[in-house]
Amino acid sequence: MRLPIERKHVKVYPDPKRVIARFFFNGDERGKEVINKVMTLSNEQVFNIISPLLQEYSKRHRNITKILSRHCKKLKPLFEKMDIDYKDLETHRSLLIGSYFTHEYSIESAAFFNPSIIEDPDQSNLEEGEKRLIISFRAVGEGHISSIVFRRALIDRNNNITVIPAGNYIDEAEIIRNATYNKKLFLDKGLIALINEDVLKELDKKLADQFDYATLKEVIAENQLSEPDPAKDIELEKVLWLSDSYYEIIFSMDTDISDRVIFPISEFERKGIEDARFVKFINDDGSVTYYATYTAYDGHIIIPKLLKTKDFYDFTVGPLFGDGAQNKNLALFPRKINGKYAMLSRIDGVNNYIMYSNKINVWENPIKLQGPKYNWEFVQIGNCGSPIETEDGWLVITHAVGPMRRYCLSACLLNLDDPTIEIGRLEEPLLIPNPDEREGYVPNVVYSCGSIVNNGHLIIPYGLSDYSSSFASVELKDLLERLKASPAL
């Protein structure tokens, strides 16, 4: 018989009013036409157009003038081609030009699901038994483009959850590209991304073992000038896209966490940032770093990536490397095991694997941990976030796909010192989509990207049929006892 599980009456739904103002460019020719038309306007006409726009959109975006100015500045190469001196543009005219190259994008208009939950770094001024939480979600907007968004929540001594309402604005971060690349790892990732091997071999000869973004751009520019070839140029552009997979993003200190959105930045993630699995990682010295693995998707190729932050304001981002860093479902253990980082993965799309590494971004030699065993998981299994350390072992919430591609949640228990050893595994699902949860963007799916323990209960946030999100809880003691009594392989 299945364990009793309590579904919370809290639901988090997508909100189409949550919009960001993004740069919009339709090509040089149309851009020139628009700029020429604005340049024919008198200063009075410019002011009469831009003034009501600023009043209207300042209610929807924090510092709309800064956004429009930034978008106008992106057009500097076009201004140069048109013999327009960007520095001579009057402020209102530059804002108006920027507005014609800006559009609003509703990041949550389609769905808000696949949550991951961790402790907030700030646990001050709480009563005994309470905990402040940060929940990340996969938000989906027009064109099925996914981004990472956040909410703060409070859980009380009775494990009742209150999700704090979001703020009025959404902020994209400042992007800084200051990475130093390891040539071998970088070019190996280029092969995985299906970049032409001959182009990569040529770059291999011209790049040092360690190089930066500016050097790479210079080498590529020289190559394009010396050997003009449209087909080769496309491959070189892909190399630049790959280099854009490394960056730092910084949010303003005056933003609430619900204001912050991590939106696709590089070309290799332009179709979405999917299913971030956050974990509170305890370093060897006892300090805390928050990591998240996620899937970058360009419409054809999947690249696993890693987010790192100390405070949820400043994030560094980069790809994961190695034979084990393939496909989806990577989840980092919350501490080192026997001196090495440990990670769960699903490199073949069907089975669960485990791997160890001395470097957090390089993963080789994956070891098969689990395969589908029961009828409700015959299609595939995978993890639902980072393992949770308990006295009895590593508790892993898993997902499984069965007939009619119905997704269920289940659990297994791994040995603390050697997690390649499976102690126990539920013979029945822990959570199955009920009639109120089965309808959505993708029917018959419950899915989670990370759970937490509070006051003797396992708290599982989960997505409902790829549309909205909710929460469930189960007695931790009962779950562990069932797992220890259940056969493993």
Side-chain angles (χ1 to χ4, degrees):
M1 295 180 65
R2 289 170 51 207
L3 278 168
I5 192 163
E6 179 191 358
R7 284 173 161 87
K8 304 292 184 180
H9 297 296
V10 180
K11 296 274 194 304
V12 188
Y13 293 98
D15 182 356
K17 296 191 297 295
R18 304 278 289 166
V19 294
I20 53 178
R22 294 194 58 76
F23 183 66
F24 179 82
F25 188 69
N26 237 349
D28 281 8
E29 291 311 309
R30 292 185 66 179
K32 288 177 182 177
E33 289 177 12
V34 171
I35 292 170
N36 277 325
K37 289 172 183 175
V38 175
M39 295 303 291
T40 65
L41 299 174
S42 68
N43 286 343
E44 183 179 2
Q45 288 174 310
V46 167
F47 179 81
N48 289 338
I49 299 169
I50 193 60
S51 182
L53 275 175
L54 295 178
Q55 291 180 45
E56 177 183 356
Y57 285 92
S58 63
K59 299 179 180 67
R60 295 170 65 84
H61 304 278
R62 180 186 281 108
N63 205 339
I64 186 64
T65 55
K66 182 179 178 181
I67 295 170
L68 299 185
S69 293
R70 184 170 67 238
H71 291 177
C72 182
K73 191 174 182 179
K74 285 177 176 283
L75 300 168
K76 284 178 74 173
L78 202 57
F79 291 137
E80 290 174 6
K81 293 178 184 177
M82 300 172 67
D83 293 325
I84 296 173
D85 192 336
Y86 169 77
K87 293 181 293 189
D88 290 341
L89 287 174
E90 188 265 337
T91 300
H92 289 110
R93 194 176 299 272
S94 67
L95 292 174
L96 184 57
I97 291 173
S99 73
Y100 282 104
F101 293 86
T102 301
H103 75 125
E104 288 191 324
Y105 182 87
S106 176
I107 61 171
E108 302 174 15
S109 58
F112 199 75
F113 60 113
N114 292 2
S116 173
I117 191 169
I118 54 168
E119 294 180 14
D120 192 313
D122 177 15
Q123 295 294 321
S124 62
N125 301 318
L126 296 177
E127 296 179 4
E128 186 176 345
E130 290 183 330
K131 192 173 286 183
R132 194 173 287 115
L133 308 170
I134 290 176
I135 312 172
S136 69
F137 296 88
R138 177 180 171 186
V140 178
E142 178 190 352
H144 198 75
I145 298 174
S146 304
S147 55
I148 301 171
V149 297
F150 303 96
R151 294 289 187 275
R152 188 169 273 114
L154 186 68
I155 187 166
D156 67 17
R157 66 184 66 187
N158 298 313
N159 290 319
N160 297 309
I161 297 171
T162 302
V163 179
I164 310 301
N168 295 325
Y169 300 103
I170 304 178
D171 265 25
E172 290 187 86
E174 178 187 357
I175 303 161
I176 300 172
R177 292 185 173 89
N178 57 0
T180 299
Y181 309 105
N182 177 296
K183 182 172 69 173
K184 182 183 183 306
L185 294 177
F186 183 84
L187 297 179
D188 284 350
K189 206 66 181 179
L191 288 172
I192 293 169
L194 304 181
I195 297 172
N196 182 276
E197 189 172 355
D198 291 334
V199 169
L200 294 175
K201 286 179 178 177
E202 194 171 330
L203 291 175
D204 189 13
K205 298 173 185 175
K206 297 180 179 179
L207 292 168
D209 289 341
Q210 302 285 330
F211 60 93
D212 59 19
Y213 183 75
T215 302
L216 179 64
K217 285 192 72 174
E218 184 179 330
V219 168
I220 287 175
E222 289 174 356
N223 197 301
Q224 289 174 321
L225 284 173
S226 62
E227 301 176 36
D229 180 347
K232 188 177 177 182
D233 285 349
I234 292 173
E235 296 303 305
L236 290 169
E237 285 297 319
K238 289 181 183 178
V239 174
L240 279 179
W241 296 347
L242 181 60
S243 70
D244 281 345
S245 295
Y246 305 74
Y247 49 85
E248 181 179 2
I249 52 177
I250 301 174
F251 289 96
S252 172
M253 294 293 288
D254 64 355
T255 58
D256 180 69
I257 194 162
S258 66
D259 298 342
R260 301 169 212 156
V261 56
I262 301 177
F263 199 80
I265 292 170
S266 74
E267 281 293 321
F268 274 107
E269 60 189 24
R270 61 192 172 87
K271 283 296 184 180
I273 295 174
E274 300 180 359
D275 301 341
R277 286 160 160 77
F278 276 88
V279 62
K280 179 183 178 181
F281 187 89
I282 308 300
N283 299 300
D284 292 341
D285 62 1
S287 63
V288 171
T289 304
Y290 298 92
Y291 290 102
T293 54
Y294 72 85
T295 302
Y297 183 55
D298 73 347
H300 303 284
I301 297 166
I302 290 168
I303 293 183
K305 297 184 72 173
L306 186 71
L307 276 170
K308 174 184 174 182
T309 185
K310 289 280 191 180
D311 54 12
F312 288 86
Y313 287 100
D314 189 339
F315 296 81
T316 57
V317 185
L320 293 169
F321 302 93
D323 292 339
Q326 310 292 328
N327 214 297
K328 300 184 176 184
N329 271 217
L330 276 77
L332 186 68
F333 280 70
R335 63 169 174 84
K336 287 183 178 179
I337 300 174
N338 301 319
K340 292 181 180 290
Y341 295 103
M343 182 90 81
L344 296 176
S345 68
R346 196 188 67 197
I347 60 172
D348 57 10
V350 177
N351 305 289
N352 273 331
Y353 289 77
I354 188 170
M355 48 199 174
Y356 300 96
S357 179
N358 292 315
K359 296 182 178 180
I360 200 167
N361 64 332
V362 181
W363 297 93
E364 305 284 3
N365 306 314
I367 303 163
K368 185 177 175 182
L369 180 64
Q370 300 168 318
K373 179 179 180 182
Y374 302 110
N375 66 80
W376 41 274
E377 59 184 17
F378 278 177
V379 176
Q380 70 189 51
I381 59 173
N383 69 73
C384 279
S386 293
I388 297 169
E389 187 168 7
T390 74
E391 291 182 357
D392 294 308
W394 293 105
L395 174 62
V396 180
I397 305 305
T398 59
H399 72 265
V401 183
M404 301 298 294
R405 288 201 64 80
R406 184 180 68 176
Y407 277 65
C408 305
L409 300 189
S410 189
C412 68
L413 191 65
L414 308 178
N415 184 280
L416 275 180
D417 297 320
D418 183 2
T420 61
I421 300 172
E422 186 180 27
I423 297 170
R425 181 172 175 179
L426 291 185
E427 300 176 66
E428 298 283 345
L430 190 60
L431 189 69
I432 295 174
N434 67 21
D436 293 331
E437 299 169 340
R438 65 182 303 176
E439 309 299 346
Y441 191 75
V442 181
N444 304 308
V445 173
V446 288
Y447 194 91
S448 178
C449 289
S451 305
I452 198 169
V453 172
N454 191 64
N455 298 328
H457 282 72
L458 176 71
I459 310 299
I460 308 171
Y462 65 101
L464 287 68
S465 296
D466 285 12
Y467 174 66
S468 59
S469 295
S470 190
F471 303 85
S473 70
V474 62
E475 286 268 5
L476 180 62
K477 181 181 177 182
D478 293 347
L479 175 58
L480 293 174
E481 289 301 321
R482 179 69 63 90
L483 284 166
K484 288 187 289 183
S486 300
L489 295 178

